[in-house]
Amino acid sequence: MNETMVCAVGNVATQPVYRELANGASARFRLAVTARYWDREKSAWTDGHTNFFTVWANRALATNVGASLSVGDPVIVQGRLKVRTEVREGQSWTSADIDAVAIGHDLSRGTSAFRRPNKEGDTTAPPRPEPNWETEPESRSLDVSQQRPEPAGVT
């Protein structure tokens, strides 16, 4: 089936609403996406039109949305676009929803600390020390044949 996949960059406009349903967790929030463009006449960036999307998340993504997002957070949302038109009280309404596949903080506009959720019965390995990525001054003078290759990182 052909689906319209989109990637939207914007801000969380409403507090995420989290619900436990019979078929799993569900969360939704409104996403505000504002186009910005360079105005040559003013020599400044100018905000354009703002589009609002209702973002839907399910299962584990919904749980993490509920624990991670707040109003105003800059986010990137990837998912399936669903545009619906309906008639309410004689007026035609159009809404645009995104059925999210992935949601994350926009790190070009701030920092974030990632934490994996604890699973029940999960025996988490103790934290590993951060590797020393800096080269020691005395090791620079070693012959290339004496240097051992670094092992590939394991996640």
Side-chain angles (χ1 to χ4, degrees):
M1 175 170 32
N2 292 332
E3 295 179 323
T4 305
M5 296 295 289
V6 296
C7 183
V9 180
N11 293 319
V12 176
T14 62
Q15 186 62 35
V17 176
Y18 175 82
R19 291 205 170 91
E20 279 290 338
L21 303 173
N23 57 347
S26 178
R28 75 171 191 276
F29 64 91
R30 298 282 283 164
L31 177 70
V33 179
T34 303
R36 288 182 57 84
Y37 63 94
W38 180 256
D39 188 341
R40 290 183 187 170
E41 294 174 5
K42 297 178 184 175
S43 294
W45 286 98
T46 304
D47 287 340
H49 178 74
T50 300
N51 291 305
F52 288 91
F53 299 94
T54 300
V55 178
W56 294 90
N58 296 303
R59 294 176 289 286
L61 181 58
T63 304
N64 294 337
V65 162
S68 302
L69 297 184
S70 311
V71 174
D73 284 356
V75 293
I76 300 173
V77 176
Q78 181 183 15
R80 291 176 286 282
L81 179 65
K82 311 264 182 175
V83 178
R84 293 175 173 62
T85 304
E86 60 184 78
V87 177
R88 291 186 208 160
E89 299 174 9
Q91 290 188 334
S92 179
W93 291 84
T94 302
S95 65
D97 297 353
I98 299 175
D99 186 12
V101 173
I103 301 171
H105 285 111
D106 184 355
L107 298 181
S108 69
R109 297 192 277 159
T111 61
S112 184
F114 180 80
R115 291 179 306 280
R116 292 188 189 276
N118 290 334
K119 296 178 185 174
E120 292 181 34
D122 184 18
T123 55
T124 307
R128 291 180 273 172
E130 182 69 27
N132 183 6
W133 298 106
E134 298 295 323
T135 307
E136 298 296 325
E138 58 271 2
S139 67
R140 289 184 188 148
S141 61
L142 291 176
D143 186 11
V144 174
S145 62
Q146 295 174 335
Q147 294 180 357
R148 288 182 273 152
E150 286 188 27
V154 178
T155 58

